[in-house]
Amino acid sequence: MKIKYLIALLSILILQSCGYYSFTGADTGNAETYQVNFFQNTAQLVEPGIDRDFTLQLQDLILNQTKLSLVNTNGDLIYEGEIIRYYIAPMTATADSRAAQNRLTIEVNVRFYNTLDPEKDFEQRFSFYFDFDGNAQLTGAQKEEAIDEIFTRITQDVFNASLTNW
């Protein structure tokens, strides 16, 4: 019985001595708020609605994985940028020179500002892709799945770059 109390006491002391601890690995420092400005789609091939979808997905990820509060202005942490590339390219070809597999790639330019610690500011490009059958059209549910998978990966990469030391 004493061993359980000793382990519990040691656990509490270790967690308190480390300050704020997050199971996601997020280090928000002294920040209490964040803002995600609208990520405009400036890609040559414009897919309607993905600018809104990306902005909301980034907001939701930070909200769900930190204790930060979302604000519209004067955030301690500020995310902004634009979707700069949205393109589909053939990846492999068949014997008769048709695409056997295509790849949708989306690239987002992100500017991150930490108003409490400007040394953590950065501007960086993040991209990811989704491969699909060359005979298929990227429409409907498959397009939604592709965009969601790409944005899930990019938003996680943005989160890691801005709030973790990995």
Side-chain angles (χ1 to χ4, degrees), residues 9 11 13 17 25 42-43 49-50 52 57 65 81 89 113 124 130 132 140 148-150 155 157:
L9 180 61
S11 298
L13 290 174
S17 67
T42 62
I50 66 170
R52 179 196 69 244
Q57 199 163 340
Q65 293 195 17
Y113 303 101
Q124 184 175 339
F130 180 88
F132 60 99
D148 185 58
E149 185 175 313
I150 291 169
T155 56
D157 288 348

Side-chain angles (χ1 to χ4, degrees), residues 48-64:
I50 66 170
D51 41 10
R52 179 196 69 244
D53 294 344
F54 181 80
T55 302
L56 293 174
Q57 199 163 340
L58 183 57
Q59 287 176 349
D60 289 346
L61 176 68
I62 297 166
L63 185 64
N64 291 331

Side-chain angles (χ1 to χ4, degrees), residues 116-152:
L116 305 176
D117 188 359
E119 288 185 16
K120 294 184 178 180
D121 294 357
F122 67 81
E123 181 170 1
Q124 184 175 339
R125 292 179 175 198
F126 297 88
S127 67
F128 201 68
Y129 60 88
F130 180 88
D131 292 337
F132 60 99
D133 187 270
N135 294 324
Q137 292 290 327
L138 191 59
T139 59
Q142 186 176 22
K143 180 170 67 173
E144 289 176 22
E145 175 191 354
I147 292 171
D148 185 58
E149 185 175 313
I150 291 169
F151 284 168
T152 296

Side-chain angles (χ1 to χ4, degrees), residues 12-65:
I12 291 170
L13 290 174
I14 289 170
L15 288 177
Q16 283 183 338
S17 67
C18 294
Y20 174 73
Y21 179 77
S22 167
F23 289 106
T24 62
D27 177 12
T28 58
N30 293 325
E32 296 178 2
T33 61
Y34 75 101
Q35 86 185 53
V36 178
N37 295 334
F38 186 72
F39 278 76
Q40 187 171 351
N41 187 353
T42 62
Q44 285 184 335
L45 179 59
V46 174
E47 179 62 35
I50 66 170
D51 41 10
R52 179 196 69 244
D53 294 344
F54 181 80
T55 302
L56 293 174
Q57 199 163 340
L58 183 57
Q59 287 176 349
D60 289 346
L61 176 68
I62 297 166
L63 185 64
N64 291 331
Q65 293 195 17

